[in-house]
Amino acid sequence: MTLQEMSEEYRAQALALQGRIKQLKQARGKAETAWEKESLTRRILTLDTLWREARDQAVLLEHYYERGYRRNARYTL
């Protein structure tokens, strides 16, 4: 598997996570109890972190072989 193919996989996972986050936000809007809302909020925050990392990794892998690419301070080459 090439790095370009890996970046495509990360992008696909980021899209899947983003879709799930939207579903959970809708469910949170319909939740009746404060406990349900809090539980859904925690899940959304966790998935949001995973989504952001998958998205950042996809960008990093896409530009891995570009000389001087250092646009992401978290992941340096």
Side-chain angles (χ1 to χ4, degrees), residues 42-57:
R42 282 194 311 269
R43 289 175 64 190
I44 290 168
L45 291 174
T46 300
L47 290 179
D48 189 56
T49 301
L50 293 173
W51 167 75
R52 195 175 316 108
E53 289 178 0
R55 183 195 61 195
D56 290 349
Q57 286 295 323

Side-chain angles (χ1 to χ4, degrees), residues 5-6 10 12 14-15 18-19 36 38 42 47 52 60 62 64 67 77:
E5 292 170 341
M6 286 177 68
Y10 274 106
L15 286 174
Q18 194 173 36
E36 287 176 314
E38 180 61 31
R42 282 194 311 269
L47 290 179
R52 195 175 316 108
L60 178 69
E62 286 171 356
Y64 185 81
R67 187 176 199 136
L77 304 176

Side-chain angles (χ1 to χ4, degrees), residues 60-61 63-70 72 75-77:
L60 178 69
L61 292 173
H63 299 284
Y64 185 81
Y65 291 110
E66 291 178 18
R67 187 176 199 136
Y69 179 76
R70 300 200 195 295
N72 191 328
Y75 307 107
T76 58
L77 304 176

